[in-house]
Amino acid sequence: MARSRKMAFFTAVSFLITLAVPALLLAADPVVAKANADHFKILTLIPPVVAIVLAFVTRNVVLSLFAGIFSGTFMLSLNEGVVSAFKGGFIKLNHEVLGALADPWNAGIVLQCLAIGGLIALVSKMGGAKAIAEALAKKATGATSAQMYAWFMGLLIFFDDYANSLTVGPIMRPVTDRMKISREKLAFIIDGTAAPIAGIALISTWVAYEIGLIKDGYAGLGIEANAYGIFVGTIPFRFYNILILIFIVATAVMLREFGPMLTAERRARTTGKVLADGAKPMAAAESTGLEPDESVSLNIWNAIIPIMTLIIGAFVGFYFNGRGAIMGGDDAALIQLLTDSPASFTAIREAFGASDASIVLFEAALFAGIVAIVLGVSQRIYTIEVAVDTWVQGVKSLVITGVILLLAWSLSSVIKQLGTAMYLVSVLSDSIPPFTLPAIIFVLGSFISFATGTSYGTMGILMPLAIPLAHAINPESGYMLMNIGAVLTGAIFGDHCSPISDTTILSSMGAACDHIDHTRTQLVYAVTVALVTVVFGYIPAGLGVPVYIILPVAAAALIGVLFFFGKPVEEA
């Protein structure tokens, strides 16, 4: 019965998808993907379902992702016969992993993770991390202030979600550990600030992609639109992004939790165990066991200087990398802008958007590591040989993260080839009441993002569909803005819930938390915020309620849920 109700829901709204098939739908050949979607139909869901279910059952992410990939490559090789499909599926699996590593963007992200692992190891060996922890511990006098510091730091690193996940956790982990805050809660704070703030920041590595989708959507209607102005206009309608940031503050201030997070927080407070028994944190002992020698004088500048080098280097790198890409392109207007007004807000925004974030962050992390080596050697904390060994030790601690990312990207590639997203969007048919469209787009984006583990891909799938559909129903600006906002924020919600999402993986790694424990505890909170988003956000917005009324009411409703369903953490 439950299955029939779900299918009835999908069928009721499939008109949304059958309007068009966007060129950005799949990186794989869309003709082949469409043929696979038509052939396998609901079976295209097998790879993500296998990976997700096994991840929760076995608590082994590598095994689960491997099984998910193989189930997909096996299906893609079935034309060779069942027996041969086992061999063909294994060979194709190898090709997918190699292809994921060969992709310049993916390679840059892996190198970035490894370089930041080396940087954090050096900072720890110098005593910088311990000094920061002790300094913050004096200010963070309790669990509330410690969580608020982590939240605020997440807001400060607004320019990129990857940089956010990889920076906030290592800095705040010693502080939250000392205050007996669970690693699950720290991972939630990191994940809950990373993509949500990067997605709505006026300048970030997300902005150009989002603006590009908006511009293409309007161009398809024959409308010349100010895409950046439209992007800014969607920010008040990004209800999930805003509400989850509010929710993090509410849990920290009220010290109330519910669901699996309550169990995790009470365990940490009462026993001091920031990790559950049997947990497998996404960081090896190499990154968490580095302590400075007793003779080392603790100095917070040994952490501040390398970390600020990373952050400032990323900012500078985003600008010059993007500027180089623009100046080497054929957009005369942008070239003229960067020539005449290189320091203007518009020029900086465009340069950030055109930059290759994966390469820039790797370069910034590598340079910060060199700065950390120079600092340590100049203070006679360690020799060059020890510094290099320490850096390598930190790199080794994050090799498992690189493996998991490669497998997650490989699974995403297989899902694209199978036409999983095409199947999901093709099963929807029938007209819908106009006021429900924003909520339906949000839910659909969530489902696709959860199944595929990618918010960017989901945005690329839905934006070319949502814009023409919303315009056909009601071309009024406010209605268009709320539907565009629903696409952008629904993709982030689904990504938050998915254990195969790269940002979820990186948040687990940054907090040194068991990945499945992070996903399991965050899932309940993300779904809660999403339900409030739909009921108190997109449905009232679709009915014409002003956003200045919606946001306070939705925030109050979310706090009310926490008050009535949450329980004090300290209570036995």
Side-chain angles (χ1 to χ4, degrees):
M1 180 65 71
R3 180 179 297 178
S4 64
R5 285 199 297 267
K6 290 178 182 177
M7 291 306 297
F9 168 78
F10 287 135
T11 302
V13 294
S14 89
F15 175 68
L16 206 170
I17 297 309
T18 55
L19 290 179
V21 177
L24 291 173
L25 190 59
L26 297 170
D29 186 342
V31 176
V32 175
K34 180 66 167 64
N36 286 331
D38 292 340
H39 176 67
F40 290 110
K41 300 187 187 311
I42 197 171
L43 296 180
T44 61
L45 295 173
I46 287 178
V49 169
V50 166
I52 291 167
V53 171
L54 276 182
F56 281 103
V57 173
T58 67
R59 299 175 64 85
N60 189 314
V61 180
V62 172
L63 174 64
S64 304
L65 289 170
F66 184 91
I69 297 167
F70 182 74
S71 67
T73 55
F74 175 82
M75 292 169 65
L76 290 170
S77 303
L78 276 174
N79 61 324
E80 305 169 8
V82 175
V83 177
S84 296
F86 282 95
K87 175 185 175 182
F90 182 74
I91 293 174
K92 188 167 181 58
L93 182 149
N94 292 331
H95 290 164
E96 291 299 333
V97 175
L98 288 172
L101 183 58
D103 182 273
W105 171 271
N106 294 350
I109 294 301
V110 171
L111 290 173
Q112 169 200 341
C113 291
L114 299 180
I116 288 182
L119 170 65
I120 297 305
L122 289 167
V123 170
S124 299
K125 191 68 174 176
M126 284 193 294
K130 187 174 182 180
I132 285 285
E134 291 186 356
L136 287 178
K138 294 176 183 178
K139 296 179 179 295
T141 55
T144 294
S145 54
Q147 292 178 70
M148 289 302 299
Y149 275 117
W151 176 85
F152 183 67
M153 190 170 294
L155 297 188
L156 286 180
I157 307 179
F158 60 85
F159 53 89
D160 184 76
D161 54 331
Y162 287 167
N164 188 310
S165 299
L166 293 167
T167 305
V168 176
I171 292 176
M172 292 304 304
R173 193 192 310 143
V175 180
T176 54
D177 282 358
R178 181 173 296 190
M179 296 301 167
K180 298 181 179 180
I181 296 168
S182 67
R183 294 280 177 84
E184 292 94 326
K185 186 60 184 295
L186 175 59
F188 169 63
I189 295 173
I190 294 170
D191 214 352
T193 55
I197 192 63
I200 61 176
L202 296 180
I203 292 180
S204 77
T205 53
W206 285 53
V207 172
Y209 181 69
E210 295 175 318
I211 291 174
L213 293 177
I214 293 170
K215 183 178 181 179
D216 290 344
Y218 275 87
L221 297 173
I223 299 174
E224 186 72 26
N226 180 352
Y228 187 76
I230 294 171
F231 162 79
V232 174
T234 67
I235 292 177
F237 295 99
R238 309 279 279 276
F239 299 130
Y240 178 82
N241 297 46
I242 297 169
L243 291 176
I244 200 163
L245 293 172
I246 294 173
F247 183 74
I248 293 171
V249 173
T251 60
V253 172
M254 298 170 68
L255 289 177
R256 299 176 76 90
E257 312 282 354
F258 57 86
M261 192 69 80
L262 175 64
T263 304
E265 281 291 85
R266 283 186 171 175
R267 179 203 69 231
R269 296 292 203 286
T270 56
T271 69
K273 295 180 178 179
V274 295
L275 288 165
D277 293 332
K280 299 176 182 177
M282 285 279 292
E286 289 92 340
S287 67
T288 56
L290 283 168
E291 291 291 333
D293 294 336
E294 293 183 2
S295 60
V296 173
S297 177
L298 299 183
N299 186 344
I300 61 171
W301 291 104
N302 285 339
I304 292 175
I305 291 175
I307 296 300
M308 288 306 296
T309 299
L310 172 65
I311 295 173
I312 294 173
F315 263 103
V316 174
F318 285 141
Y319 177 80
F320 284 102
N321 182 275
R323 186 179 189 278
I326 291 173
M327 298 302 286
D330 54 6
D331 191 324
L334 284 182
I335 292 174
Q336 191 66 39
L337 170 67
L338 287 170
T339 302
D340 296 341
S341 307
S344 67
F345 176 82
T346 304
I348 295 173
R349 184 195 74 214
E350 295 293 342
F352 267 53
S355 66
D356 186 333
S358 64
I359 298 301
V360 169
L361 289 171
F362 167 59
E363 293 171 341
L366 192 59
F367 182 67
I370 294 172
V371 169
I373 291 175
V374 172
L375 273 175
V377 171
S378 64
Q379 297 175 63
R380 302 179 185 274
I381 296 174
Y382 41 55
T383 63
I384 286 285
E385 291 78 11
V386 171
V388 173
D389 288 344
T390 300
W391 187 86
V392 172
Q393 197 175 0
V395 168
K396 286 163 56 181
S397 72
L398 295 188
V399 169
I400 184 61
T401 301
V403 171
I404 291 173
L405 284 172
L406 286 174
L407 291 175
W409 290 323
S410 300
L411 177 60
S412 177
S413 175
V414 170
I415 287 170
K416 290 174 182 177
Q417 294 174 58
L418 278 172
T420 302
M422 269 189 179
Y423 167 74
L424 288 175
V425 296
S426 67
V427 295
L428 309 177
S429 64
D430 250 333
S431 58
I432 52 175
F435 80 91
T436 64
L437 181 61
I440 289 172
I441 289 175
F442 176 81
V443 172
L444 181 60
S446 305
F447 194 79
I448 295 173
S449 184
F450 177 80
T452 60
T454 167
S455 52
Y456 270 31
T458 301
M459 293 174 188
I461 290 168
L462 283 183
M463 192 66 78
L465 305 172
I467 288 178
L469 178 58
H471 187 267
I473 292 176
N474 183 354
E476 191 267 332
S477 173
Y479 188 76
M480 296 289 292
L481 291 176
M482 72 179 72
N483 282 285
I484 294 171
V487 172
L488 300 175
T489 197
I492 290 177
F493 161 57
D495 197 64
H496 267 173
C497 298
S498 178
I500 61 176
S501 160
D502 51 0
T503 48
T504 307
I505 293 167
L506 290 176
S507 296
S508 298
M509 186 276 288
C513 177
D514 183 291
H515 181 55
I516 302 306
D517 286 344
H518 166 46
T519 307
R520 181 174 52 84
T521 51
Q522 177 163 278
L523 179 64
V524 175
Y525 279 2
V527 170
T528 299
V529 176
L531 288 173
V532 173
T533 294
V534 171
V535 175
F536 294 91
Y538 286 118
I539 290 179
L543 291 170
V545 179
V547 71
Y548 59 81
I549 294 177
I550 290 174
L551 281 174
V553 171
L558 193 60
I559 294 171
V561 168
L562 181 61
F563 179 80
F564 286 108
F565 292 97
K567 296 180 180 179
V569 173
E570 284 79 6
E571 189 174 276

